[in-house]
Structure formats: C-alpha cells, structure tokens
Amino acid sequence: MELRHLRYLVAVVEEGGFTRAAARLHLAQPGLSAQIRQLERELGQPLLDRSGRSVTPTEVGRAVLPYARAALAAADAVRQTVDEHTGLLRGKVTLGLVSGALGHSFDVAAFLADFHGAHPALEVALTEDTSERMQASLLAGEIDVALLGPTGEEPPPGLAHRTVVDVPLGAAAASGDPLLAPAGRTTVALADLRDRPLICLPRGTGVRSALERGCARAGFRPRVAFEAASPQVLAQLAARGLGVAVLPLGEGGSGPGGGLCALRITEPGLRARIVLAWPSTGPAGPAARALLERLRAALPQASPAEDGPAGPVSAR
C-alpha cells in the first residue's frame, strides 16, 4: 500500500466519481481506476461502489476513509516540518486586494514577483474584490491576507489589521464648477454636496462606506449618479462635468489630470483608510505567515494624515 493509493481513494470519494477525481489529480481516468483496483486487490475488499450514477464508498470503504485521511495528514505534516526547518515553503497562499488599493505607491506585481522568487515552491495567488467581500473571505479562510478599506470604523471582529494609508477624502470637480468658487478655496462642507450628483466607488468599498456614514451624520443621503471600481474612471467622469468625484487626497500621488481641482471635505471631515488585514487567530500556516511578514516590511504603518490643504488625488 502506498500513500498515493490512499490519496486517490480520498479524491474519488470526495469528487463522487473517477472523471472529476482524475481531473483533480491530473491523471488519466483509466490509470486512476486501475490504481484503485490494485488497492482493493491488496486489501482483499471492494472499497468503492460503482453501481450507481456516482461512485460511493462501500461499508469497508467508509471504515477505511478516516485512517486514509489521517495518514495523508500525517505525511503532509512531516513534509511541512522538514520544509520549515530548511526554509522551503510549499502550498498556496492568496493575497486579496481592493481595486486601486495603493495607487502607484505600491508595485503589487514587483512585490509578488520578489516573493515568488524567494519561495519558488509556493503557489501565490492574487484576487481583487470589494473590501466588504474580502473581509468575509478572510473570516471564512478563503484568502490569507488582504489590503482593503474597512467598511466600518474598524475591521469586523475576528480580523487583525495594520493601517498603511490614512488620508482625507476630497471632492474633485472640473474647472469652472460652482463648487470651486471662490477661487483659492481648499475645503468644502459635506452639506454642500447634498444636491450634487456624486461619482464614487461602489458599495462595499471603504470610500463609499465613509461617504455614506458622513452623509448620514449630516442628515442626508448622497446622490450617487455614477459609480465605478476604477478610480481613474471616476476622475474621467468628473472631468467631463458629469458630477463631483469623491476621492482620497494626498500621499504625493499623481493627480487625475483633465483639469480637475480637489477640495478637502469638512464638517464632518471624511477619511480614506487602507489596512493590511488578516485573521486575528494568526496566519493559517507558514506560507501565509511569510506573506504577511513580507507585506509588513514593504508597507510601513501609516500615521493619521493631518487635515491640511488638499493635495493631489490618489483614489482607491
């Protein structure tokens, strides 16, 4: 009996048939079937019932499965222990990223390439989504670490976090917009946006949640006429005079161009935050721990920005 036979058996049971199991294991179906037959002959008992539309374990097969899974888990633990002592990481790790999370200040592709170069046996995956869904994915263990904008004042219970960006929110409008008068103004009260068509990131993002919370405190609902996941698209729409874009300010990032001018939102002041988040129980294994440590080194903790004059728009 070999470990691979046990792995094949577990895969067939979990997939409910040989076709899907063969695809999962990257094997030819006839070869997989022959390997299971070999195991059954060695044990002297049928382990799978092939008579129905799906393949199910026999009574003996059901009794064997817990031991097969335990043997595979033990073998994986032996391999992981050796890898940890030799510094070699295997498996898969997933980074979640809210669209446009760090603008041009963080080169995600370069970071992932360097991380993969340091751990070539590790499969690294990147997924983009809204902050709301990524918070849920972190809690469900579907992703390991994420850069996201909290949709509440703080990330939900069950998540640890470190703030890497904390900047004011501003209102960006095309030159000549009455909102920008008189010339030289640098701020705008949130109430002045009450009846204006706004352009913002979708629901489920940190910026949109901050806008809606601020408007609720000011006693009105924001009139969002356009929304898009790309901050660049928001700026383009505002530059065409289709509304006022609500975007983060500062950080020395490049402005949106197109003749847009930005005013810091006050009364109340709104802030955009990006946090590095992970399960509060800690990273799920050495690979996730290595990714988190590398990200913490690459992204120093941010101090809250001072509410000074409006700077360039660097949206997220």
Side-chain angles (χ1 to χ4, degrees):
M1 184 189 310
E2 298 182 20
L3 279 174
R4 60 188 174 89
H5 291 145
L6 300 181
R7 196 176 303 278
Y8 297 164
L9 174 65
V10 170
V12 172
V13 171
E14 290 180 348
E15 298 297 335
F18 286 92
T19 302
R20 289 193 296 272
R24 167 175 153 182
L25 296 166
H26 306 290
L27 296 173
Q29 182 177 335
L32 174 60
S33 180
Q35 292 290 324
I36 297 295
R37 291 286 190 192
Q38 180 181 335
L39 177 61
E40 290 174 321
R41 285 195 300 271
E42 182 176 347
L43 295 175
Q45 291 289 333
L47 301 175
L48 299 174
D49 181 355
R50 301 162 173 82
S51 61
R53 296 184 61 182
S54 62
V55 178
T56 58
T58 63
E59 183 177 353
V60 174
R62 288 193 296 272
V64 165
L65 274 173
Y67 296 101
R69 290 189 170 109
L72 293 172
D76 288 342
V78 169
R79 184 178 296 108
Q80 179 175 307
T81 299
V82 173
D83 288 346
E84 287 181 15
H85 279 80
T86 59
L88 178 65
L89 296 181
R90 298 181 188 274
K92 179 178 180 179
V93 65
T94 302
L95 170 65
L97 186 70
V98 67
S99 180
L102 297 172
H104 301 291
S105 62
F106 180 56
D107 189 336
V108 177
F111 171 84
L112 292 178
D114 290 344
F115 185 75
H116 178 67
H119 304 289
L122 183 64
E123 181 182 350
V124 184
L126 174 68
T127 181
E128 279 196 341
D129 209 335
T130 66
S131 295
E132 187 174 63
R133 286 196 288 265
M134 284 197 297
Q135 288 175 163
S137 295
L138 281 170
L139 292 171
E142 296 169 350
I143 58 178
D144 297 293
V145 186
L147 283 161
L148 54 85
T151 54
E153 296 292 347
E154 296 290 341
L159 294 183
H161 70 281
R162 178 182 188 179
T163 302
V164 296
V165 173
D166 188 343
V167 294
L169 276 180
S175 298
D177 190 294
L179 188 70
L180 303 176
R185 72 180 301 189
T186 59
T187 64
V188 59
L190 183 60
D192 291 343
L193 304 179
R194 178 189 298 265
D195 298 319
R196 295 297 306 269
L198 302 180
I199 304 169
C200 194
L201 297 175
R203 282 194 171 94
T205 60
V207 168
R208 179 65 170 269
S209 297
L211 172 65
E212 291 179 344
R213 286 196 305 271
C215 290
R217 289 196 294 268
F220 70 97
R221 295 182 62 182
R223 180 185 161 198
V224 178
F226 296 93
E227 58 181 32
S230 167
Q232 290 72 26
V233 173
L234 301 183
Q236 291 169 2
L237 292 170
R240 292 289 184 174
L242 294 173
V244 177
V246 178
L247 300 170
L249 302 176
E251 293 190 280
S254 58
L260 282 184
C261 297
L263 305 176
R264 179 171 50 82
I265 297 173
T266 60
E267 303 175 35
L270 306 181
R271 304 197 71 81
R273 295 172 58 227
I274 295 294
V275 303
L276 178 63
W278 62 93
S280 56
T281 53
R289 186 163 56 248
L291 177 64
L292 177 59
E293 290 173 356
R294 183 68 68 94
L295 281 165
R296 294 184 70 164
L299 297 166
Q301 186 166 357
S303 300
E306 296 295 330
D307 288 345
V313 176
S314 176
R316 47 190 68 77

